[in-house]
Amino acid sequence: QLQASGGGLVQAGGSLRLSCAASGRAFSSSHMGWFRQAPGKEREFVAAVNWGGGATIYTDSVKGRFIISRDNAKYTVYLDMRRLKPEDTAVYYCAALTAWSKETKSVGSWGQGTQVTVSS
């Protein structure tokens, strides 16, 4: 199971840190990702970190602003979001990936979403 937290309301230019706590030892051997879904839009890839934490990938719109990381000892993956923009407003979902991929079809399991709202 994946439990996301840390969402909220923030002004443009602000920062938030999302956390996703996992249960089960499979976490340490799983690639992990964050996706988001804005109202009326499809769910999209945001960032992923490989099982060991040594490799990351990002969608272009968040490069240089978001950082994904993980702490395998705490079974937790993080998404540090900086210089937030109104267009970052969405429900953010953490996910365990079955492959090192940005594609939604690579998701093996989803966490519940956490709402991020960025006001202008």
Side-chain angles (χ1 to χ4, degrees), residues 5-6 13 20 42 56 61 80 82 92 94 105-106 110 113-114:
S5 61
C20 177
E42 292 187 353
T56 57
S61 63
D80 287 290
R82 306 169 188 174
Y92 283 70
C94 62
K105 65 182 181 182
S106 70
W110 293 100
T114 185

Side-chain angles (χ1 to χ4, degrees), residues 20-81:
C20 177
S23 59
R25 291 188 292 178
F27 173 83
S28 299
S29 59
S30 298
H31 305 320
M32 297 296 296
W34 287 96
F35 293 73
R36 66 186 179 186
Q37 188 166 19
K41 296 187 177 181
E42 292 187 353
R43 194 169 298 187
E44 65 173 358
F45 170 83
V46 176
V49 58
N50 76 331
W51 66 271
T56 57
I57 49 176
Y58 299 91
T59 192
D60 286 346
S61 63
V62 308
K63 285 180 180 177
R65 299 189 299 121
F66 291 10
I67 298 174
I68 187 171
S69 62
R70 66 190 297 161
D71 185 336
N72 285 348
K74 295 182 178 179
Y75 297 92
T76 302
V77 62
Y78 304 99
L79 185 67
D80 287 290
M81 305 185 295

